[in-house]
Amino acid sequence: MKICAAVLTYRAVSTGRTDLLRQTVESLSEADGLWIVDNGSDDGSADVVRSMGGWSHPWPIHTSGHGTNLCARILAATDADLCVLSDDDMLWRPGWRASLETWWGAAPDDVWLTGCHLEPAYPWNEIRTTIRCGGVSGLVRSSTGAASWSYRRVDHERIFPIPQQVQGWGDVPGCDAIDERGGRICQLDIAEHAGHGRSTWGNQTEAKYGHDLDSVRRLVTR
């Protein structure tokens, strides 16, 4: 399988996340193709991205949903079999590529989207069941955060575009739309969200709802 990935970043300089961006890019080195995409930063981050071989444009909208759609359009124009979307604070564990190839090689057709990091239990990401594809264990959930999406390129139009309104997030309503059309959404444990407390978007989800992953991880590893 050919795997292409895109890393989305925004205002990494002013939010003190350039170290995470570089670590994320390095951790994705197993991909066949990698794009670094700046979401229209105005704080010098665009220059950092360009120095890393990435791409930036002064977009009038900078939401997470906009950036996710932008990255997805870039990957849709490739010849990849599998697409990976990553935020700039995801550390992909060594061997992630082999796990994805195994997973997607055995995943049923109704699995349209698979997140690659486990999330705590929030009100919007209900755990529905466990699932194994090719020996790789995962969860079926009602949603998965766009920080680590993977999907078959041929399923692009089933998933995108997601909402990109100025206020609010696009990944949860995007997952809701997949669910309504009969697609399943899964999660694997092959990447780690390293940016807790350093959110690009001022997201305080962990502070509000907690960050207990132990019970979720036990479902995948048992």
Side-chain angles (χ1 to χ4, degrees):
M1 293 182 182
K2 183 172 184 178
I3 301 178
C4 289
V7 176
L8 176 65
T9 189
Y10 178 60
R11 296 180 61 83
V13 169
S14 60
T15 55
R17 293 161 62 94
T18 55
D19 59 329
L20 290 173
L21 169 61
R22 295 183 188 280
Q23 291 174 54
T24 295
V25 169
E26 182 178 354
S27 71
L28 282 166
S29 62
E30 296 176 23
D32 295 299
L34 178 62
W35 284 258
I36 309 169
V37 181
D38 178 76
N39 203 14
S41 299
D42 59 359
D43 64 342
S45 298
D47 293 332
V48 172
V49 168
R50 283 190 284 265
S51 74
M52 297 173 66
W55 182 79
S56 182
H57 185 82
W59 307 104
I61 183 171
H62 316 287
T63 63
S64 176
H66 172 268
T68 299
N69 287 334
L70 176 61
C71 290
R73 288 198 300 270
I74 291 171
L75 297 183
T78 71
D79 61 349
D81 300 297
L82 299 179
C83 299
V84 170
L85 303 182
S86 177
D87 276 1
D88 60 0
D89 62 353
M90 298 301 306
L91 301 186
W92 295 74
R93 299 192 188 104
W96 65 264
R97 179 196 175 107
S99 295
L100 271 192
E101 288 179 325
T102 299
W103 170 269
W104 282 110
D109 290 341
D110 67 342
V111 173
W112 294 2
L113 183 65
T114 297
C116 297
H117 76 290
L118 291 182
E119 295 177 303
Y122 298 138
W124 54 85
N125 66 358
E126 171 196 4
I127 297 173
R128 296 179 172 172
T129 188
T130 58
I131 182 175
R132 289 179 67 86
C133 296
V136 179
S137 297
L139 303 175
V140 178
R141 304 190 81 155
S142 56
S143 75
T144 187
S148 66
W149 280 2
S150 70
Y151 54 93
R152 305 177 186 92
R153 185 175 60 87
V154 295
D155 285 336
H156 171 89
E157 293 185 358
R158 287 175 156 179
I159 302 168
F160 299 100
I162 64 172
Q164 58 182 35
Q165 63 268 27
V166 175
Q167 299 296 328
W169 315 107
D171 49 6
V172 173
C175 288
D176 288 344
I178 290 172
D179 191 41
E180 291 169 2
R181 294 196 297 270
R184 282 197 289 175
I185 300 155
C186 299
Q187 270 186 5
L188 304 180
D189 188 16
I190 59 174
E192 196 74 28
H193 184 197
H196 292 298
R198 301 166 67 182
S199 172
T200 298
W201 315 103
N203 188 337
Q204 299 299 316
T205 304
E206 293 84 9
K208 184 175 181 180
Y209 294 101
H211 190 246
D212 176 17
L213 275 175
D214 290 344
S215 58
V216 176
R217 185 161 281 126
R218 281 195 293 271
L219 292 174
V220 175
T221 58
R222 68 184 182 185

mmCIF file of all heavy atoms in Angstrom, residues 10 14 28 40 47 51 64 67 71-72 84 97 125 127 146 157-158 167-168 183 186 199 202 209-210 221:
data_model
loop_
_atom_site.group_PDB
_atom_site.id
_atom_site.type_symbol
_atom_site.label_atom_id
_atom_site.label_comp_id
_atom_site.label_asym_id
_atom_site.label_seq_id
_atom_site.Cartn_x
_atom_site.Cartn_y
_atom_site.Cartn_z
ATOM 1 N N TYR A 10 -0.853 25.469 12.685
ATOM 2 C CA TYR A 10 -1.325 26.859 12.667
ATOM 3 C C TYR A 10 -0.758 27.598 13.867
ATOM 4 O O TYR A 10 -0.898 27.134 15.009
ATOM 5 C CB TYR A 10 -2.857 26.894 12.700
ATOM 6 C CG TYR A 10 -3.442 28.289 12.724
ATOM 7 C CD1 TYR A 10 -3.197 29.190 11.690
ATOM 8 C CD2 TYR A 10 -4.225 28.708 13.788
ATOM 9 C CE1 TYR A 10 -3.726 30.466 11.710
ATOM 10 C CE2 TYR A 10 -4.770 29.992 13.812
ATOM 11 C CZ TYR A 10 -4.514 30.864 12.771
ATOM 12 O OH TYR A 10 -5.036 32.135 12.805
ATOM 13 N N SER A 14 3.741 31.169 17.896
ATOM 14 C CA SER A 14 3.154 31.916 19.014
ATOM 15 C C SER A 14 2.573 31.003 20.087
ATOM 16 O O SER A 14 2.433 31.412 21.238
ATOM 17 C CB SER A 14 2.075 32.868 18.501
ATOM 18 O OG SER A 14 1.036 32.166 17.852
ATOM 19 N N LEU A 28 6.451 10.697 11.346
ATOM 20 C CA LEU A 28 5.719 10.241 10.161
ATOM 21 C C LEU A 28 6.641 9.857 9.008
ATOM 22 O O LEU A 28 6.192 9.722 7.869
ATOM 23 C CB LEU A 28 4.739 11.322 9.695
ATOM 24 C CG LEU A 28 3.448 11.430 10.502
ATOM 25 C CD1 LEU A 28 2.717 12.727 10.180
ATOM 26 C CD2 LEU A 28 2.538 10.233 10.233
ATOM 27 N N GLY A 40 -2.521 29.235 7.292
ATOM 28 C CA GLY A 40 -2.615 30.682 7.142
ATOM 29 C C GLY A 40 -2.109 31.465 8.328
ATOM 30 O O GLY A 40 -2.665 32.516 8.664
ATOM 31 N N ASP A 47 6.827 30.835 7.712
ATOM 32 C CA ASP A 47 8.238 30.778 7.307
ATOM 33 C C ASP A 47 8.901 29.509 7.819
ATOM 34 O O ASP A 47 9.714 28.889 7.124
ATOM 35 C CB ASP A 47 8.981 32.007 7.828
ATOM 36 C CG ASP A 47 8.518 33.300 7.179
ATOM 37 O OD1 ASP A 47 8.046 33.252 6.021
ATOM 38 O OD2 ASP A 47 8.626 34.361 7.830
ATOM 39 N N SER A 51 10.490 26.574 5.515
ATOM 40 C CA SER A 51 11.876 26.136 5.701
ATOM 41 C C SER A 51 11.970 24.619 5.852
ATOM 42 O O SER A 51 13.038 24.036 5.613
ATOM 43 C CB SER A 51 12.481 26.816 6.942
ATOM 44 O OG SER A 51 11.978 26.254 8.146
ATOM 45 N N SER A 64 -10.064 24.727 12.353
ATOM 46 C CA SER A 64 -9.606 23.343 12.255
ATOM 47 C C SER A 64 -10.271 22.628 11.079
ATOM 48 O O SER A 64 -9.627 21.878 10.341
ATOM 49 C CB SER A 64 -9.895 22.610 13.563
ATOM 50 O OG SER A 64 -9.546 21.251 13.481
ATOM 51 N N GLY A 67 -8.657 23.649 7.791
ATOM 52 C CA GLY A 67 -7.356 23.025 7.602
ATOM 53 C C GLY A 67 -7.453 21.541 7.284
ATOM 54 O O GLY A 67 -6.697 21.024 6.457
ATOM 55 N N CYS A 71 -5.996 19.811 3.840
ATOM 56 C CA CYS A 71 -5.076 18.669 3.805
ATOM 57 C C CYS A 71 -5.676 17.502 3.023
ATOM 58 O O CYS A 71 -4.985 16.827 2.249
ATOM 59 C CB CYS A 71 -4.743 18.228 5.223
ATOM 60 S SG CYS A 71 -3.691 19.386 6.143
ATOM 61 N N ALA A 72 -6.971 17.260 3.235
ATOM 62 C CA ALA A 72 -7.627 16.145 2.535
ATOM 63 C C ALA A 72 -7.635 16.363 1.031
ATOM 64 O O ALA A 72 -7.453 15.403 0.258
ATOM 65 C CB ALA A 72 -9.044 15.972 3.059
ATOM 66 N N VAL A 84 -3.411 9.799 5.554
ATOM 67 C CA VAL A 84 -3.275 10.065 6.982
ATOM 68 C C VAL A 84 -3.268 11.575 7.181
ATOM 69 O O VAL A 84 -2.484 12.293 6.543
ATOM 70 C CB VAL A 84 -1.971 9.455 7.539
ATOM 71 C CG1 VAL A 84 -1.706 9.953 8.963
ATOM 72 C CG2 VAL A 84 -2.034 7.939 7.516
ATOM 73 N N ARG A 97 3.065 2.410 10.478
ATOM 74 C CA ARG A 97 2.705 2.121 9.091
ATOM 75 C C ARG A 97 2.269 0.664 8.930
ATOM 76 O O ARG A 97 1.237 0.378 8.289
ATOM 77 C CB ARG A 97 3.884 2.417 8.167
ATOM 78 C CG ARG A 97 3.568 2.104 6.707
ATOM 79 C CD ARG A 97 4.800 2.018 5.829
ATOM 80 N NE ARG A 97 4.384 1.608 4.496
ATOM 81 C CZ ARG A 97 4.360 2.406 3.451
ATOM 82 N NH1 ARG A 97 4.726 3.668 3.548
ATOM 83 N NH2 ARG A 97 3.960 1.938 2.280
ATOM 84 N N ASN A 125 -18.136 10.921 21.883
ATOM 85 C CA ASN A 125 -17.394 9.840 21.214
ATOM 86 C C ASN A 125 -17.665 8.482 21.869
ATOM 87 O O ASN A 125 -16.753 7.733 22.201
ATOM 88 C CB ASN A 125 -15.899 10.146 21.159
ATOM 89 C CG ASN A 125 -15.244 10.170 22.535
ATOM 90 O OD1 ASN A 125 -15.899 9.999 23.557
ATOM 91 N ND2 ASN A 125 -13.939 10.388 22.564
ATOM 92 N N ILE A 127 -18.149 4.823 22.939
ATOM 93 C CA ILE A 127 -17.558 3.548 22.537
ATOM 94 C C ILE A 127 -18.683 2.552 22.304
ATOM 95 O O ILE A 127 -19.466 2.268 23.212
ATOM 96 C CB ILE A 127 -16.587 3.018 23.605
ATOM 97 C CG1 ILE A 127 -15.410 3.976 23.774
ATOM 98 C CG2 ILE A 127 -16.083 1.623 23.228
ATOM 99 C CD1 ILE A 127 -14.488 3.620 24.929
ATOM 100 N N ALA A 146 -10.107 14.681 14.551
ATOM 101 C CA ALA A 146 -9.413 14.801 13.260
ATOM 102 C C ALA A 146 -7.904 14.934 13.399
ATOM 103 O O ALA A 146 -7.205 15.022 12.390
ATOM 104 C CB ALA A 146 -9.966 15.995 12.489
ATOM 105 N N GLU A 157 -14.698 11.183 -0.919
ATOM 106 C CA GLU A 157 -15.968 11.887 -1.082
ATOM 107 C C GLU A 157 -17.035 11.409 -0.097
ATOM 108 O O GLU A 157 -18.039 12.104 0.088
ATOM 109 C CB GLU A 157 -16.469 11.747 -2.523
ATOM 110 C CG GLU A 157 -15.573 12.474 -3.522
ATOM 111 C CD GLU A 157 -16.127 12.444 -4.921
ATOM 112 O OE1 GLU A 157 -17.200 11.832 -5.140
ATOM 113 O OE2 GLU A 157 -15.484 13.020 -5.816
ATOM 114 N N ARG A 158 -16.822 10.260 0.532
ATOM 115 C CA ARG A 158 -17.745 9.809 1.570
ATOM 116 C C ARG A 158 -17.541 10.587 2.868
ATOM 117 O O ARG A 158 -18.440 10.660 3.701
ATOM 118 C CB ARG A 158 -17.518 8.322 1.866
ATOM 119 C CG ARG A 158 -18.010 7.367 0.803
ATOM 120 C CD ARG A 158 -17.607 5.950 1.174
ATOM 121 N NE ARG A 158 -18.471 4.957 0.567
ATOM 122 C CZ ARG A 158 -18.330 3.652 0.712
ATOM 123 N NH1 ARG A 158 -17.336 3.177 1.463
ATOM 124 N NH2 ARG A 158 -19.164 2.814 0.133
ATOM 125 N N GLN A 167 -16.828 29.486 13.937
ATOM 126 C CA GLN A 167 -16.946 29.035 15.313
ATOM 127 C C GLN A 167 -17.289 27.538 15.329
ATOM 128 O O GLN A 167 -18.136 27.085 14.586
ATOM 129 C CB GLN A 167 -18.046 29.816 16.039
ATOM 130 C CG GLN A 167 -17.781 31.317 16.101
ATOM 131 C CD GLN A 167 -16.546 31.666 16.907
ATOM 132 O OE1 GLN A 167 -16.213 30.962 17.863
ATOM 133 N NE2 GLN A 167 -15.875 32.724 16.525
ATOM 134 N N GLY A 168 -16.621 26.823 16.196
ATOM 135 C CA GLY A 168 -16.941 25.406 16.321
ATOM 136 C C GLY A 168 -15.946 24.515 15.598
ATOM 137 O O GLY A 168 -15.035 24.979 14.915
ATOM 138 N N GLY A 183 -21.598 4.595 7.532
ATOM 139 C CA GLY A 183 -20.186 4.277 7.687
ATOM 140 C C GLY A 183 -19.828 4.096 9.148
ATOM 141 O O GLY A 183 -20.471 4.658 10.042
ATOM 142 N N CYS A 186 -13.706 4.220 13.591
ATOM 143 C CA CYS A 186 -12.920 3.422 14.538
ATOM 144 C C CYS A 186 -11.766 4.232 15.104
ATOM 145 O O CYS A 186 -11.463 5.332 14.644
ATOM 146 C CB CYS A 186 -12.390 2.165 13.852
ATOM 147 S SG CYS A 186 -13.689 1.069 13.227
ATOM 148 N N SER A 199 -2.849 23.702 23.398
ATOM 149 C CA SER A 199 -3.758 23.632 22.260
ATOM 150 C C SER A 199 -3.625 24.826 21.325
ATOM 151 O O SER A 199 -3.560 25.977 21.766
ATOM 152 C CB SER A 199 -5.207 23.550 22.754
ATOM 153 O OG SER A 199 -6.110 23.659 21.677
ATOM 154 N N GLY A 202 -7.075 26.736 21.722
ATOM 155 C CA GLY A 202 -7.596 27.076 23.039
ATOM 156 C C GLY A 202 -8.547 26.023 23.568
ATOM 157 O O GLY A 202 -9.413 26.293 24.396
ATOM 158 N N TYR A 209 -13.333 17.664 30.897
ATOM 159 C CA TYR A 209 -13.903 16.316 30.959
ATOM 160 C C TYR A 209 -12.949 15.263 31.528
ATOM 161 O O TYR A 209 -13.335 14.119 31.718
ATOM 162 C CB TYR A 209 -14.333 15.869 29.560
ATOM 163 C CG TYR A 209 -15.476 16.672 29.003
ATOM 164 C CD1 TYR A 209 -15.249 17.677 28.077
ATOM 165 C CD2 TYR A 209 -16.787 16.429 29.405
ATOM 166 C CE1 TYR A 209 -16.298 18.420 27.551
ATOM 167 C CE2 TYR A 209 -17.841 17.167 28.891
ATOM 168 C CZ TYR A 209 -17.594 18.165 27.961
ATOM 169 O OH TYR A 209 -18.630 18.899 27.451
ATOM 170 N N GLY A 210 -11.693 15.639 31.745
ATOM 171 C CA GLY A 210 -10.740 14.668 32.251
ATOM 172 C C GLY A 210 -9.947 14.018 31.135
ATOM 173 O O GLY A 210 -10.252 14.167 29.957
ATOM 174 N N THR A 221 -6.388 -3.482 24.436
ATOM 175 C CA THR A 221 -5.274 -4.397 24.692
ATOM 176 C C THR A 221 -5.693 -5.726 25.300
ATOM 177 O O THR A 221 -4.883 -6.657 25.366
ATOM 178 C CB THR A 221 -4.259 -3.735 25.637
ATOM 179 O OG1 THR A 221 -4.901 -3.364 26.849
ATOM 180 C CG2 THR A 221 -3.643 -2.493 24.986
#
